[in-house]
Coordinates of all heavy atoms in Angstrom, one line a residue:
V245 N -11.5 -12.4 12.1 CA -12.4 -12.9 13.1 C -12.9 -14.3 12.7 O -12.9 -15.3 13.4 CB -13.6 -12.0 13.4 CG1 -14.6 -12.6 14.3 CG2 -13.1 -10.7 14.0
L248 N -10.1 -16.8 12.9 CA -9.9 -17.3 14.3 C -10.9 -18.3 14.7 O -10.5 -19.3 15.3 CB -9.9 -16.1 15.2 CG -8.6 -15.3 15.4 CD1 -8.7 -14.4 16.5 CD2 -7.5 -16.3 15.6
L263 N 0.2 -17.4 21.7 CA -0.4 -16.1 22.1 C -1.9 -16.2 22.1 O -2.5 -15.6 23.0 CB 0.2 -15.2 21.0 CG -0.6 -14.0 20.5 CD1 -0.3 -12.9 21.5 CD2 -0.1 -13.6 19.2
L264 N -2.5 -16.8 21.1 CA -3.9 -16.8 21.1 C -4.5 -17.8 22.1 O -5.5 -17.6 22.7 CB -4.4 -17.2 19.7 CG -4.1 -16.2 18.6 CD1 -4.6 -16.6 17.3 CD2 -4.6 -14.8 19.0
I267 N -4.6 -15.7 25.3 CA -5.6 -14.6 25.3 C -7.0 -15.1 25.1 O -7.9 -14.6 25.8 CB -5.3 -13.6 24.1 CG1 -4.0 -12.9 24.4 CG2 -6.4 -12.6 23.9 CD1 -3.4 -12.3 23.3
L268 N -7.2 -16.1 24.3 CA -8.6 -16.5 24.0 C -9.3 -17.2 25.2 O -10.5 -17.4 25.3 CB -8.7 -17.4 22.8 CG -8.4 -16.6 21.5 CD1 -8.4 -17.6 20.3 CD2 -9.3 -15.5 21.2
L272 N -12.0 -11.3 29.7 CA -11.8 -9.9 29.4 C -10.9 -9.7 28.2 O -11.2 -8.9 27.3 CB -11.2 -9.1 30.6 CG -11.4 -7.6 30.7 CD1 -12.8 -7.3 30.8 CD2 -10.6 -7.1 31.9
G273 N -9.8 -10.5 28.1 CA -8.9 -10.4 27.0 C -9.5 -10.8 25.7 O -9.3 -10.2 24.7
E274 N -10.3 -11.8 25.8 CA -11.0 -12.3 24.5 C -11.8 -11.2 23.9 O -11.8 -11.0 22.7 CB -11.8 -13.5 24.8 CG -12.6 -13.9 23.6 CD -13.2 -15.3 23.6 OE1 -12.9 -16.0 24.6 OE2 -13.8 -15.7 22.6
K275 N -12.6 -10.5 24.7 CA -13.5 -9.5 24.2 C -12.6 -8.4 23.5 O -12.9 -7.9 22.4 CB -14.3 -8.9 25.3 CG -15.3 -7.9 24.8 CD -16.4 -7.6 25.8 CE -17.3 -6.6 25.2 NZ -18.0 -5.7 26.3
F276 N -11.5 -8.0 24.2 CA -10.7 -7.0 23.7 C -10.0 -7.4 22.3 O -10.0 -6.6 21.3 CB -9.6 -6.7 24.7 CG -8.6 -5.7 24.4 CD1 -9.0 -4.4 24.1 CD2 -7.3 -5.9 24.3 CE1 -8.1 -3.4 23.8 CE2 -6.3 -4.9 24.0 CZ -6.8 -3.6 23.7
V277 N -9.5 -8.6 22.3 CA -8.9 -9.1 21.1 C -9.9 -9.2 19.9 O -9.6 -8.8 18.8 CB -8.2 -10.5 21.3 CG1 -7.8 -11.1 20.0 CG2 -7.0 -10.3 22.2
L278 N -11.1 -9.7 20.2 CA -12.0 -9.8 19.1 C -12.5 -8.4 18.6 O -12.7 -8.2 17.4 CB -13.3 -10.6 19.6 CG -13.0 -12.1 19.7 CD1 -14.2 -12.8 20.1 CD2 -12.5 -12.7 18.3
L279 N -12.6 -7.5 19.5 CA -12.9 -6.1 19.1 C -11.8 -5.6 18.2 O -12.1 -4.9 17.2 CB -13.1 -5.2 20.3 CG -14.4 -5.2 21.1 CD1 -14.4 -4.4 22.4 CD2 -15.5 -4.7 20.2
A280 N -10.6 -5.8 18.6 CA -9.5 -5.3 17.8 C -9.4 -5.9 16.5 O -9.2 -5.3 15.4 CB -8.1 -5.6 18.6
L281 N -9.7 -7.2 16.4 CA -9.6 -7.9 15.1 C -10.8 -7.5 14.2 O -10.6 -7.3 13.0 CB -9.7 -9.4 15.3 CG -8.4 -10.0 15.9 CD1 -8.6 -11.5 16.3 CD2 -7.2 -9.9 14.9
A282 N -12.0 -7.3 14.8 CA -13.1 -6.9 14.1 C -12.9 -5.5 13.5 O -13.2 -5.2 12.4 CB -14.4 -6.8 14.9
D283 N -12.2 -4.6 14.3 CA -11.9 -3.3 13.9 C -10.9 -3.3 12.7 O -11.0 -2.6 11.7 CB -11.2 -2.6 15.1 CG -11.2 -1.1 14.9 OD1 -12.2 -0.5 14.6 OD2 -10.1 -0.5 15.0
T284 N -9.9 -4.2 12.8 CA -8.9 -4.4 11.7 C -9.6 -4.9 10.5 O -9.3 -4.4 9.4 CB -7.8 -5.4 12.2 OG1 -7.2 -4.9 13.4 CG2 -6.7 -5.5 11.1
L299 N -1.9 -4.0 16.0 CA -2.7 -5.3 16.3 C -1.9 -6.2 17.3 O -2.6 -6.7 18.2 CB -2.9 -6.0 15.0 CG -3.8 -7.2 15.1 CD1 -5.2 -6.7 15.6 CD2 -4.0 -7.9 13.8
T302 N -2.5 -5.0 20.7 CA -3.8 -5.5 21.3 C -3.7 -7.0 21.7 O -4.2 -7.3 22.8 CB -5.0 -5.3 20.4 OG1 -4.8 -6.1 19.2 CG2 -5.2 -3.8 20.0
L303 N -3.1 -7.8 20.9 CA -3.0 -9.2 21.2 C -2.3 -9.5 22.5 O -2.6 -10.5 23.2 CB -2.4 -10.0 20.0 CG -3.1 -9.9 18.7 CD1 -2.4 -10.7 17.6 CD2 -4.5 -10.5 18.8
L304 N -1.3 -8.7 22.8 CA -0.4 -9.0 23.9 C -0.8 -8.2 25.2 O -0.2 -8.4 26.2 CB 1.0 -8.8 23.6 CG 1.6 -9.8 22.5 CD1 3.0 -9.3 22.1 CD2 1.6 -11.2 23.0
W305 N -1.7 -7.3 25.0 CA -2.0 -6.3 26.1 C -2.4 -6.9 27.4 O -1.9 -6.6 28.5 CB -3.0 -5.3 25.6 CG -3.5 -4.3 26.6 CD1 -4.7 -4.1 27.1 CD2 -2.7 -3.3 27.3 NE1 -4.8 -3.1 28.0 CE2 -3.5 -2.6 28.2 CE3 -1.3 -3.0 27.3 CZ2 -3.1 -1.6 29.0 CZ3 -0.9 -2.0 28.2 CH2 -1.7 -1.3 29.0
H306 N -3.2 -7.9 27.3 CA -3.7 -8.5 28.6 C -2.7 -9.3 29.3 O -2.7 -9.4 30.5 CB -5.0 -9.3 28.4 CG -6.2 -8.3 28.4 ND1 -7.0 -8.2 29.5 CD2 -6.6 -7.5 27.5 CE1 -7.9 -7.2 29.2 NE2 -7.7 -6.8 28.0
L387 N -10.5 1.1 22.2 CA -10.8 -0.3 22.2 C -10.8 -0.9 23.7 O -11.6 -1.7 24.0 CB -9.8 -1.1 21.4 CG -9.9 -1.1 19.9 CD1 -8.8 -1.8 19.3 CD2 -11.3 -1.7 19.5
S391 N -14.1 -2.6 25.5 CA -14.1 -3.9 26.0 C -14.3 -3.9 27.5 O -14.4 -5.0 28.2 CB -12.7 -4.6 25.7 OG -11.7 -4.1 26.6

Side-chain angles (χ1 to χ4, degrees):
V245 172
L248 276 192
L263 146 86
L264 296 182
I267 291 162
L268 293 177
L272 202 62
E274 171 165 0
K275 186 166 179 206
F276 181 58
V277 167
L278 285 180
L279 279 171
L281 288 171
D283 196 55
T284 305
L299 191 60
T302 62
L303 296 180
L304 296 171
W305 175 240
H306 276 260
L387 282 176
S391 74

